[in-house]
Amino acid sequence: MRNLIIFLRRYFNFFLFLLLEVICIVLVFRNNDFQKTAYLNSANNVSARLYERYNNVEYYFHLKATNDSLVKENARLHNMLQSSFDNASVSDIVKTDTIHQYSTDTSRKVVSSEVRRFLYREAKVINNSVSNPINYITIRRGSTDGIKPDMGVVGPSGVVGVVRSVSDKYAVVLSLLAKGRNFGISARLSYSREMGTVRWYGGEANYAVLEDVPKSVRLIKGDTVVTSGYSALYPAGIPIGYVESYTVADKSSTAYTIRIRLATNFNNLQYVYVIDNVLKEEQKSLEDSTYRLIK
């Protein structure tokens, strides 16, 4: 206490000066409109900048939650896409998961019904390889989430691969980057609508090859290669890649060898969407029974 009194006594004049200075400044800003306006504008600018910095820092620490919510919203929007539904006559089939289209007049009659075919589920990538001859991706979704083998997997930009094995909480996806002729994706050129098969033969993780496209087809560099819709794994129209260049192996060949730049960046894959074809078993059962009858 004695030291405090000595300190205040020693610097009494300085503290008195500060007090009088503050009082003078307050009186000036309170009784003069120009100074008051200038002070308020300056204070507002400083406060706005501080709040902006604070919000930027807060937003940075909430990026994960924001990203997760965006992924879930994308999955919901994927499930509403036209390509996720099949047209069906309402008089022939009844499904609980359908979108009905109504007439525009006052009667509001159901004129058509679209039955869900594909269901999307978002999943977090927890392991990924791109430098092996056959590459795999591990996702944080399993059988308890409805994931099964032989489901198609896509990313925000395009096709990723196919589910190969599943546990309760995890699944392993065979990446599109699987070298060899045993794994390919049915594809179509956007401009000519010509069919082909996309395969990866090793090398760069950003490029693959589109095969079986006849030489008679007119090719355009930059044309988008999309899923054909003939596979039970993917809806039609999902990007696979873009035409980079094309050649003919030899004079006897009847098809192009087309180099495509893949739509998916496999080096920076964080989230994917697993596609469940809810009508797949019905289609497969019918095709198998028909094949057995022919044999």
Side-chain angles (χ1 to χ4, degrees):
M1 187 65 182
R2 180 173 176 274
N3 292 334
L4 177 61
I5 294 174
I6 294 173
F7 175 80
L8 292 176
R9 184 177 295 175
R10 178 178 298 177
Y11 295 100
F12 174 78
N13 293 333
F14 175 75
F15 287 123
L16 179 61
F17 169 77
L18 288 181
L19 177 62
L20 294 175
E21 191 74 20
V22 170
I23 293 174
C24 291
I25 292 173
V26 170
L27 291 175
V28 168
F29 284 113
R30 178 176 294 178
N31 299 315
N32 295 275
D33 292 336
F34 177 78
Q35 285 84 355
K36 183 178 181 180
T37 302
Y39 165 74
L40 291 176
N41 289 336
S42 300
N44 288 336
N45 287 333
V46 172
S47 299
R49 291 181 181 179
L50 290 175
Y51 280 125
E52 183 181 5
R53 297 288 177 85
Y54 173 78
N55 287 333
N56 288 338
V57 172
E58 187 179 32
Y59 177 75
Y60 176 81
F61 286 106
H62 287 83
L63 278 179
K64 184 180 184 301
T66 303
N67 196 40
D68 290 343
S69 65
L70 288 175
V71 170
K72 292 180 180 178
E73 177 65 11
N74 283 337
R76 187 184 69 83
L77 294 175
H78 273 302
N79 287 323
M80 295 173 62
L81 288 175
Q82 188 77 23
S83 59
S84 297
F85 293 83
D86 277 347
N87 290 328
S89 171
V90 293
S91 60
D92 295 333
I93 187 168
V94 178
K95 292 282 186 179
T96 56
D97 194 4
T98 59
I99 288 182
H100 300 300
Q101 294 182 356
Y102 299 90
S103 60
T104 56
D105 56 22
T106 56
S107 63
R108 296 288 293 168
K109 293 181 179 179
V110 178
V111 295
S112 67
S113 180
E114 297 174 340
V115 182
R116 176 173 297 284
R117 184 183 178 192
F118 295 101
L119 178 66
Y120 290 74
R121 294 183 177 91
E122 77 279 1
K124 180 75 171 69
V125 174
I126 61 173
N127 194 15
N128 181 23
S129 65
V130 296
S131 58
N132 300 322
I134 299 178
N135 294 284
Y136 291 95
I137 300 165
T138 305
I139 60 174
R140 182 65 173 84
R141 282 278 195 174
S143 58
T144 55
D145 302 302
I147 308 301
K148 301 176 183 177
D150 298 324
M151 285 184 174
V153 180
V154 299
S157 302
V159 172
V160 171
V162 181
V163 175
R164 275 294 178 256
S165 57
V166 179
S167 65
D168 289 344
K169 297 181 180 180
Y170 300 94
V172 175
V173 178
L174 177 63
S175 171
L176 175 59
L177 306 180
K179 186 176 179 180
R181 298 189 62 87
N182 293 329
F183 179 58
I185 295 176
S186 178
R188 172 180 286 163
L189 289 164
S190 293
Y191 176 77
S192 66
R193 311 291 293 175
E194 193 68 32
M195 300 280 296
T197 303
V198 172
R199 292 187 175 90
W200 184 72
Y201 288 101
E204 297 178 83
N206 297 326
Y207 292 91
V209 175
L210 175 62
E211 302 176 329
D212 305 326
V213 176
K215 288 195 298 184
S216 57
V217 176
R218 181 188 174 191
L219 297 179
I220 300 176
K221 289 185 178 181
D223 191 12
T224 305
V225 181
V226 299
T227 52
S228 65
Y230 289 167
S231 166
L233 298 175
Y234 310 99
I238 296 180
I240 302 175
Y242 309 95
V243 175
E244 188 87 0
S245 61
Y246 49 89
T247 58
V248 178
D250 52 63
K251 293 182 178 180
S252 63
S253 177
T254 60
Y256 286 110
T257 298
I258 305 172
R259 175 181 165 90
I260 67 171
R261 177 171 48 86
L262 295 175
T264 297
N265 181 2
F266 287 90
N267 292 295
N268 187 27
L269 198 59
Q270 298 182 27
Y271 286 90
V272 295
Y273 301 94
V274 183
I275 304 175
D276 183 4
N277 183 349
V278 296
L279 302 179
K280 179 181 177 181
E281 294 303 322
E282 180 180 344
Q283 177 184 346
K284 186 175 184 301
S285 177
L286 178 61
E287 291 173 347
D288 290 345
S289 62
T290 304
Y291 179 72
R292 286 194 296 268
L293 286 174
I294 294 174
K295 289 183 66 177

